[in-house]
Amino acid sequence: MFGAEENGRRTQHAVGGTSLLIGGRPAGEHGLQAPLVSILVTNLNYGRYIGATIDSIIAQDYRNYECLIVDNASTDDSREVITRKIAGDPRFEALWLDVNQGQMGGKLVALDRMRGEFVAFLDADDVWFSNFLSSHVQVHLALPLGIGFTSSR
């Protein structure tokens, strides 16, 4: 959620479409939309964690994203968990590699498929707070100079 000052009060506005505020006015009035964020997750045998990782992506309050999950030839139940979790959500796609390319190799294979203005990396055994994407997009959009990278602990 992005916050804005209106009549001296702090308010919250949903992120996405025309509800993004720029200068206190909806982005749609400026002819703008919230930028697409591409999320890239690489996985190798983290079937016990990847479900929670995907749930944390689905729970984001920033809705304008695509997510590519690269499976590096897992031999556990990762593929079944991923398939079940992303079923029916067109924002998600899985890429099944037959040979483990390593974490960076998996990312390099996937980056050419990303369409977003921003790319966010998430490890298959980590989770995000629900405002992770909106917070980072807000920082990038609010600064007068372009920032190439943000991170969090």
Side-chain angles (χ1 to χ4, degrees):
M1 303 288 248
F2 286 103
E5 292 287 335
E6 288 181 6
N7 299 325
R9 297 179 323 160
R10 188 85 176 143
T11 59
Q12 297 287 315
H13 299 274
V15 176
T18 59
S19 57
L20 173 65
L21 295 182
I22 298 174
R25 296 177 30 213
E29 290 181 17
H30 300 282
L32 302 172
Q33 286 190 350
L36 178 66
V37 175
S38 295
I39 302 167
L40 179 52
V41 179
T42 53
N43 177 69
L44 174 62
N45 292 327
Y46 275 172
R48 65 189 178 276
Y49 303 115
I50 190 72
T53 301
I54 294 168
D55 287 343
S56 79
I57 296 168
I58 293 169
Q60 292 300 297
D61 60 10
Y62 190 90
R63 310 301 292 164
N64 194 24
Y65 65 81
E66 64 178 0
C67 179
L68 179 58
I69 302 170
V70 178
D71 184 81
N72 261 321
S74 290
T75 57
D76 67 353
D77 65 340
S78 291
R79 291 184 181 202
E80 292 81 16
V81 173
I82 293 166
T83 300
R84 183 178 68 250
K85 287 288 188 176
I86 68 173
D89 192 330
R91 297 171 298 179
F92 286 84
E93 180 183 354
L95 176 60
W96 313 114
L97 300 181
D98 293 328
V99 176
N100 181 0
Q101 302 292 318
Q103 190 174 35
M104 183 54 86
K107 288 176 179 168
L108 291 174
V109 167
L111 280 173
D112 286 341
R113 298 170 180 252
M114 307 260 104
R115 300 177 298 121
E117 294 177 57
F118 299 101
V119 176
F121 297 99
L122 180 59
D123 290 336
D125 62 343
D126 290 340
V127 295
W128 283 336
F129 288 117
S130 63
N131 67 343
F132 178 86
L133 287 179
S134 62
S135 296
H136 284 265
V137 169
Q138 181 179 18
V139 167
H140 283 276
L141 295 178
L143 294 173
L145 299 174
I147 298 296
F149 181 82
T150 56
S151 70
S152 62
R153 290 181 15 174

